[in-house]
Amino acid sequence: MANSRPPRPAPDDAFPTSTSRLQAETEAVLLDHIPTQVQAETAQLPAKLNKSAHVQFLARNFIQGFPAKYTSQDASQPWLMFWTLQSFSVLQVGLDPGNKQRAIDTILTWQHPDGGFGGGPGQAAHLLASYASVCALSIAGGQGEKGGWDQIDRKKMYQFFMSLKQPDGSFLVAHHAEVDVRGIYCLLVTATLLDIITPELVEGTASFIASCQTYEGGFSSASQPYYSSEPYTPKSLLSSPRPPLGEAHGGYTFCALASWVMLQPFLDLSPRGISRDRPQINVKSLLRWLVQMQGSAAEIGGFRGRTNKLVDGCYSWWVGGAFSLLEALGVGASVIGPVPGDGEDSRASGRDTEPGEEGKDGENEHEWDDVDDSFFNREALQEYILYAGQHPTGGLRDKPPKNADAYHTMYCLSGLSSAQHRMFPSVERREQLQEAWKAPSPDDTLPGKIRKETFLNSLSWTEDESASKILGGEANRVNATHPVFNLTITHSEAIMSHFYGQTVPPRVRSST
Amino acid sequence: MAKPTKPLYSSLDEWVDVQPLEQYEKVNPLAPIFYTDEYKDATSYFRGIVKSGEMSPRVLDLTEHIIRLNPAHYTAWQYRYRTLMSIKAPLDVELKLMDELAVKYLKTYQVWHHRRLILTETRDPQRELAFVEESLREDTKNYHTWSHRQWVLSHFNDIDLWRGELDFLDTMFNQDIRNNSAWHHRFFVVFQSGVREGEEDRERVVRRELTFTKQNISFAPNNPSAWNYLRGVLEFNKLPFSTVTTFVFPYTQPTDPEAVDLVDLDNPPPSKQAELPCPAAIEFLADIYESEGGESLLKANQLWKSLADEHDTMRKRYWEYRIKESLQKGST
Ligand SMILES: [Zn+2]
C-alpha cells in the first residue's frame, strides 16, 4: 500500500460527532505508520515481522513473571499461559522439556476438585479458564502420568458443564455468573477436544446461537429468553421473541460462528435437525457484516469489532479468522466455480502482486483464475499488523501508540496467520481419516455417528499451500492455525487422536 | 508499588482464626504474577475462607477489598453473592455499593452481572434506567451498559420502563448519530421485544422508522450504522429494498452543486456538504437491481464493479465475489 498520496480519510459529511472525531484522530496516528513510497523503495521501513523481539517479549514475562499491573489478570492465569504458548507455536518456537513440565504442573493446579478449571489455584471453575487450560495442555502436555492430558477429570468436567446449562440452550460461564457466547465457544472446544461432547450437552444450543444474530449480520453476546407465564403450567420457553442483548461484535461473532460450525454434526444427524424447526443463521448478512469490518486504506486495512468503532489488532483474528470458518458452511469464494467469459473484466481491475508472493496466473484466459479466493483483503490486514500492530520494543498491540500485551500479541499473530494461509475442510483429508477410523464397537448409534463426524470435521481442516500469501517474504511466515480451535493442526491432531483413541494418518504435503 | 489501602489481614487479631492459603504450594509456577503484598495477603485469606466455607459479614469486607484491587476476580464476586444470600444482607446497601463500582469498573463483566443478580432478587428496577443513562455518559458505547439496559427492559418487561425509550434514544442520537449501540438499541426496542401499547399499528411504526432513518442518512450519508438499520427495518418487516429506491438513488450520484434545498420528508436529499457518491448507497442500489434480476443484473454488476475499482477498493474481493455469484445464479 506504500503510497505517495495519503489515503482518503473517512468522510464525515461536514457533520462531525464524537465518533467521527475519534476516527479522524486515529487515522492521523495510523498515517505515520504507513510507509511512504520513498521509505518502501529504500527499505527503511520494511514489512518485517520482528520475530525475535516478540519471542523475547513473551519469554521475559513467561519465565520471570508478569509485573504487578497484570494483577487484573489474576483470574485469567490460564489465558496468560495459553496466549504465551500459542504465540510461541504460531512463531514456530518450541518449549524445552523443563519448562514444558513446569507449564503442565502449573496448569493442573487450576483444576477444580468438582470439575473444570479456574482462573488460578483455589478459584472457582469457569468455562473460559477451562478452555484456556485445556488448550494450553494441548500445546505443552501429552499422555502419561506427568503429561497432563490423563490428569484432566473429564467426567467431572462434563458434570460441571451440565450444571451450567440453561433452559434456552445457553450456559453460564461459571456458577452465578453471566451467559454469553464466549463461554459457549469455550465449552464446545473443550468438549470437542476431550471427546465429551454429547447430544444431551448441546440440546438447544444451536437455537440459542442463532438467536444472537443481529439485524446487522454479526452476533451479540447473548439473547434474552422470554417464557410463557401461563398460570398452573411449567413455564416454557417461547421461540420468539429472543432478542439479542448488545450489538453485533467481532469477538462474539467469532465465538458464535465457530460454535455453529462445531454444532453441525448435531444439526445434520439428529432427527430434530432435519425437521422444519432446524435453527438457521443468515450467512449472507453475516458475510456482509464481516467484510464491512475491514478498515479503509487510511486504517491500513485493519479490522474493527463493531460498526463505527476503531480498528484494533485483536480483531485480525476475531474477524479476519472468521472467514475460513465460512468454508465449513460451504461458503467460500472457492466454492463458486470459474465464470466462463468473465476473465477479461476481472483481470482489467488489476491484481496487486506483493513481493514474495507466488501466483499462478494465466493458466486459462477465460477463467476467474485469481489465486486469492478470499473474501477480505489479506495483504492489507498483514500490513496493518506489521506496520501498526508491532510494538517497536517487542510484542503486538491494539494500535499505536498503545503498549503491547499478551492478549494482543497472540490475537495479532493468529490474525496474521489467518491472513497468510488459507485453511479449508479438505474432502481428501476427510476420506483418509474416515478410512483410518477405529470404532470401539459397531457404532451405528446416533451418539456414535455424531462422535465420528465431530472427529472428522475437526481434523479435516487443511492448509491450501498454493494459496498462501506472505507479505514481506518467507522470513515473515508464521504457522497455520486451526480455524475453530486456534491451535496448530499438529497440536489439534495430537490431543484429539489421544482422547478419541485414533491414529491419525500422516499428512502428505501437497497443494489442492 | 501501590500504597496499601488497608492493614494486612495477617496483622489483624480478628482474622487470627483464619488459616491463610498460599496460592502455589507444591509447584514452582511458570508465568507467575508479581502481586503487591496487599493483594497477596487478601487473596490468601480469601482462599482460606473459601476452604472453610465461612459466610459472614467480614467475608463481605474481604471480598469488597479484593474486588477493589481486582474487579475481574470472579470467584470473589461469586462467593460474595453466596454470602449475601446466606446471611440475608440488606440488598439496597449492596446496590448502593454497586452504583459506585459500576462506574469505576465500567468495562468489567462482573460488576454488571452482580448488579443483575441483585436486581433479580430485589425485583425493583425503578431507578435502573436512570442509572444506566448516567453511566453511558462516561462511555457512550459500553457494551455491558447497553446490554444491561436491554436486560432490564426485557426481564422486567414493564410498560412503564419501556415507555421512555424512544425519548432516551433521541438524546443519544442528538449527541452522536454514529453511535451504533444506540441504533442497535432502537432495533431492540422497536422490533425485537414484542409489541407494546401504542405501537400496535405496525405499518405506522415502520413508516416512522423509515422516515427517521432517511432523515439521519440525509444529515450524514456516510454513516454505516444508519444504512444497516435501514436494511434491518426492511428485512425484518419483509419489505423489498426497492421500497426506498427513490430515496437511495441521489446518494449514488456525485455531489450536485446545483442542488436546491428541498423539503421532502419521504425522500430527503443529501445535505449540501455530503461526500458523494456514498458506497453504502451504491451497495444498496446494487442489491435492489440484483433482486430485480434479468436485465437489471447488468446494472448491479456495474455498481459492484465501481465499488471494487473505485469507491470501496478495500473490499474488492467481496464485490468481485458478488459479481461472480450473481452471474452464476443468472446462468442457472
Ligand atoms: Zn483489542
Side-chain angles (χ1 to χ4, degrees):
Chain A
M1 191 195 298
N3 213 322
S4 42
R5 264 181 311 142
R8 183 172 176 242
D12 78 349
D13 299 312
F15 193 97
T17 62
S18 52
T19 296
S20 61
R21 278 184 215 109
L22 194 58
Q23 176 67 25
E25 284 164 24
T26 305
E27 288 180 9
V29 173
L30 290 174
L31 190 60
D32 290 338
H33 290 78
I34 305 176
T36 61
Q37 191 75 48
V38 180
Q39 286 169 320
E41 271 163 16
T42 57
Q44 280 175 325
L45 248 178
K48 180 176 175 254
L49 179 66
N50 237 322
K51 286 184 180 174
S52 66
H54 303 321
V55 171
Q56 273 174 38
F57 169 82
L58 292 160
R60 193 165 49 233
N61 293 334
F62 197 55
I63 306 298
Q64 295 167 13
F66 287 89
K69 68 168 186 221
Y70 276 87
T71 297
S72 60
Q73 309 276 312
D74 182 38
S76 304
Q77 295 179 51
W79 285 110
L80 294 176
M81 180 71 84
F82 171 60
W83 293 330
T84 309
L85 289 173
Q86 178 58 5
S87 295
F88 283 148
S89 299
V90 174
L91 288 168
Q92 304 169 311
V93 173
L95 218 55
D96 64 279
N99 278 317
K100 246 188 194 167
Q101 191 59 53
R102 264 178 80 199
I104 297 165
D105 296 343
T106 307
I107 297 164
L108 288 175
T109 62
W110 305 328
Q111 186 162 218
H112 195 277
D114 298 332
F117 287 71
Q123 295 188 32
H126 195 292
L127 291 180
L128 274 64
S130 299
Y131 161 87
S133 299
V134 168
C135 286
L137 281 175
S138 306
I139 301 167
Q143 55 193 14
E145 217 175 297
K146 302 196 78 186
W149 291 356
D150 298 319
Q151 287 70 50
I152 301 171
D153 193 329
R154 291 153 71 223
K155 205 171 162 192
K156 282 188 176 163
M157 177 88 81
Y158 187 79
Q159 288 162 358
F160 167 62
F161 287 173
M162 283 304 291
S163 73
L164 301 170
K165 182 128 198 202
Q166 301 300 299
D168 64 350
S170 67
F171 294 85
L172 306 177
V173 297
H175 294 137
H176 305 298
E178 70 277 7
V179 163
D180 81 45
V181 294
R182 294 170 319 156
I184 294 175
Y185 165 76
C186 289
L187 177 145
L188 292 175
V189 171
T190 311
T192 299
L193 294 176
L194 299 181
D195 188 18
I196 55 171
I197 188 164
T198 66
E200 174 201 35
L201 182 68
V202 303
E203 167 88 58
T205 306
S207 302
F208 176 79
I209 296 288
S211 71
C212 296
Q213 189 169 24
T214 84
Y215 67 92
E216 290 195 276
F219 289 73
S220 69
S221 65
S223 70
Q224 175 68 17
Y226 278 76
Y227 296 96
S228 76
S229 51
E230 295 288 308
Y232 315 117
T233 54
K235 69 173 190 177
S236 60
L237 178 69
L238 298 173
S239 60
S240 108
R242 284 167 87 175
L245 299 174
E247 76 207 88
H249 179 286
Y252 297 125
T253 300
F254 177 88
C255 290
L257 178 56
S259 297
W260 188 256
V261 168
M262 285 184 275
L263 290 168
Q264 288 307 297
F266 297 87
L267 291 174
D268 292 340
L269 294 175
S270 71
R272 204 166 321 178
I274 318 166
S275 71
R276 259 187 308 138
D277 34 292
R278 178 190 166 120
Q280 288 187 331
I281 62 170
N282 185 340
V283 176
K284 194 174 174 183
S285 68
L286 169 60
L287 171 61
R288 174 183 180 272
W289 182 83
L290 288 170
V291 297
Q292 292 293 342
M293 289 299 107
Q294 187 157 29
S296 67
E299 295 162 293
I300 330 185
F303 277 95
R304 67 183 90 255
R306 298 190 240 166
T307 305
N308 272 333
K309 292 269 285 178
L310 302 172
V311 292
D312 172 346
C314 65
Y315 295 113
S316 307
W317 171 256
W318 299 125
V319 183
F323 289 96
S324 41
L325 293 169
L326 290 173
E327 301 236 13
L329 306 177
V331 185
S334 62
V335 176
I336 294 213
V339 179
D342 193 54
E344 279 315 304
D345 273 359
S346 65
R347 200 147 328 146
S349 57
R351 174 164 158 261
D352 327 306
T353 319
E354 297 295 344
E357 171 201 322
E358 294 138 1
K360 53 163 193 181
D361 255 354
E363 284 166 7
N364 185 338
E365 277 297 296
H366 295 288
E367 270 184 14
W368 190 288
D369 55 1
D370 194 324
V371 286
D372 188 356
D373 273 333
S374 57
F375 287 120
F376 70 105
N377 190 330
R378 289 166 61 186
E379 304 92 316
L381 177 59
Q382 293 183 51
E383 287 179 324
Y384 180 85
I385 298 167
L386 296 172
Y387 297 147
Q390 299 192 90
H391 193 277
T393 62
L396 292 101
R397 61 186 169 189
D398 164 352
K399 65 174 77 60
K402 298 201 177 187
N403 282 327
D405 60 60
Y407 165 85
H408 284 96
T409 299
M410 162 153 132
Y411 289 109
C412 283
L413 288 172
S414 300
L416 181 64
S417 168
S418 69
Q420 286 184 352
H421 307 287
R422 176 177 168 250
M423 303 296 287
F424 73 106
S426 157
V427 177
E428 209 177 314
R429 181 62 182 163
R430 201 186 159 81
E431 279 164 7
Q432 292 169 3
L433 292 164
Q434 174 132 15
E435 254 163 58
W437 175 260
K438 294 176 294 208
S441 54
D443 62 343
D444 42 14
T445 61
L446 184 62
K449 278 187 198 159
I450 287 177
R451 179 172 177 267
K452 178 177 171 185
E453 197 70 4
T454 296
F455 185 81
L456 300 182
N457 279 4
S458 302
L459 296 186
S460 62
W461 285 101
T462 300
E463 183 187 352
D464 172 2
E465 285 171 38
S466 69
S468 57
K469 208 168 232 197
I470 319 264
L471 182 71
E474 268 309 298
N476 282 355
R477 177 185 285 275
V478 296
N479 265 332
T481 79
H482 193 290
V484 179
F485 307 146
N486 198 8
L487 293 167
T488 62
I489 298 296
T490 315
H491 291 142
S492 310
E493 285 182 347
I495 190 160
M496 281 190 79
S497 50
H498 175 71
F499 285 111
Y500 287 73
Q502 303 296 319
T503 313
V504 172
R507 282 182 185 259
V508 194
R509 282 177 75 87
S510 71
S511 56
T512 41
Chain B
M1 194 141 286
K3 223 169 51 197
T5 51
K6 283 188 163 196
L8 298 184
Y9 294 89
S10 49
S11 69
L12 296 173
D13 285 347
E14 54 270 45
W15 285 85
V16 71
D17 58 317
V18 178
Q19 182 63 46
L21 277 182
E22 282 286 319
Q23 181 168 225
Y24 290 98
E25 286 170 308
K26 296 184 207 96
V27 168
N28 173 19
L30 202 57
I33 300 169
F34 296 115
Y35 310 105
T36 61
D37 287 342
E38 182 185 7
Y39 188 79
K40 216 188 295 176
D41 174 67
T43 49
S44 295
Y45 277 78
F46 177 64
R47 279 184 289 271
I49 289 285
V50 171
K51 193 168 184 203
S52 72
E54 176 183 329
M55 302 218 170
S56 65
R58 70 173 174 182
V59 171
L60 297 182
D61 295 337
L62 176 62
T63 50
E64 182 186 335
H65 185 195
I66 293 174
I67 284 163
R68 284 181 185 280
L69 296 172
N70 173 17
H73 200 304
Y74 67 89
T75 311
W77 284 103
Q78 186 192 83
Y79 203 80
R80 178 179 185 83
Y81 174 71
R82 286 187 179 149
T83 306
L84 286 166
M85 294 299 114
S86 157
I87 64 171
K88 300 197 166 47
L91 295 180
D92 53 330
V93 176
E94 184 68 3
L95 210 53
K96 269 257 147 38
L97 176 66
M98 287 311 113
D99 287 357
E100 181 210 334
L101 296 187
V103 177
K104 224 175 191 154
Y105 308 118
L106 218 52
K107 285 194 196 301
T108 315
Y109 282 87
Q110 286 79 15
V111 285
W112 292 102
H113 185 69
H114 190 73
R115 200 173 174 93
R116 199 195 270 205
L117 291 176
I118 303 302
L119 287 168
T120 308
E121 292 296 325
T122 64
R123 299 185 194 191
D124 178 14
Q126 288 322 313
R127 57 186 202 89
E128 207 50 20
L129 296 182
F131 174 78
V132 168
E133 194 169 348
E134 192 63 35
S135 333
L136 284 173
R137 267 188 247 282
E138 301 287 316
D139 181 358
T140 55
K141 297 182 179 180
N142 187 288
Y143 203 91
H144 307 306
T145 318
W146 283 101
S147 319
H148 182 71
R149 189 174 187 97
Q150 287 149 20
W151 175 79
V152 170
L153 289 163
S154 51
H155 179 81
F156 295 102
N157 204 14
D158 178 337
I159 184 72
D160 287 331
L161 292 174
W162 287 104
R163 192 165 281 138
E165 282 314 273
L166 288 184
D167 289 340
F168 156 72
L169 277 169
D170 277 345
T171 63
M172 296 307 294
F173 284 121
N174 282 339
Q175 287 166 29
D176 186 355
I177 60 167
R178 295 184 178 90
N179 185 343
N180 198 58
S181 307
W183 286 95
H184 177 268
H185 190 66
R186 191 169 182 104
F187 203 81
F188 173 87
V189 170
V190 177
F191 295 112
Q192 291 199 294
S193 324
V195 175
R196 280 168 303 282
E197 222 177 279
E199 297 266 292
E200 294 92 343
D201 182 352
R202 298 315 276 173
E203 268 179 47
R204 186 190 64 81
V205 167
V206 171
R207 259 198 321 274
R208 179 190 72 200
E209 292 310 298
L210 290 178
T211 305
F212 172 83
T213 312
K214 290 176 191 171
Q215 204 73 55
N216 274 299
I217 289 178
S218 75
F219 300 148
N222 288 285
N223 176 8
S225 297
W227 288 98
N228 286 354
Y229 191 79
L230 182 61
R231 288 169 170 269
V233 172
L234 294 170
E235 278 169 1
F236 186 85
N237 293 286
K238 304 200 165 48
L239 292 169
F241 282 11
S242 57
T243 310
V244 293
T245 309
T246 318
F247 164 73
V248 170
F249 190 77
Y251 294 81
T252 66
Q253 303 298 306
T255 310
D256 178 5
E258 310 283 290
V260 279
D261 270 330
L262 283 176
V263 181
D264 181 348
L265 288 182
D266 276 337
N267 300 299
S271 77
K272 281 219 167 116
Q273 287 141 310
E275 295 169 60
L276 299 178
C278 166
I282 298 177
E283 180 196 15
F284 202 100
L285 190 59
D287 282 342
I288 293 174
Y289 289 145
E290 188 191 30
S291 59
E292 284 173 5
E295 295 281 291
S296 298
L297 275 186
L298 257 168
K299 291 199 265 180
N301 276 330
Q302 278 166 359
L303 291 179
W304 283 322
K305 205 161 155 15
S306 79
L307 288 168
D309 297 345
E310 189 185 351
H311 301 300
D312 190 27
T313 51
M314 187 57 76
R315 267 162 283 285
K316 187 180 182 60
R317 308 268 178 238
Y318 174 68
W319 303 126
E320 288 174 349
Y321 161 77
R322 294 296 301 272
I323 294 173
K324 206 161 42 156
E325 188 200 37
S326 83
L327 288 174
Q328 214 166 49
K329 262 195 228 146
S331 67
T332 50

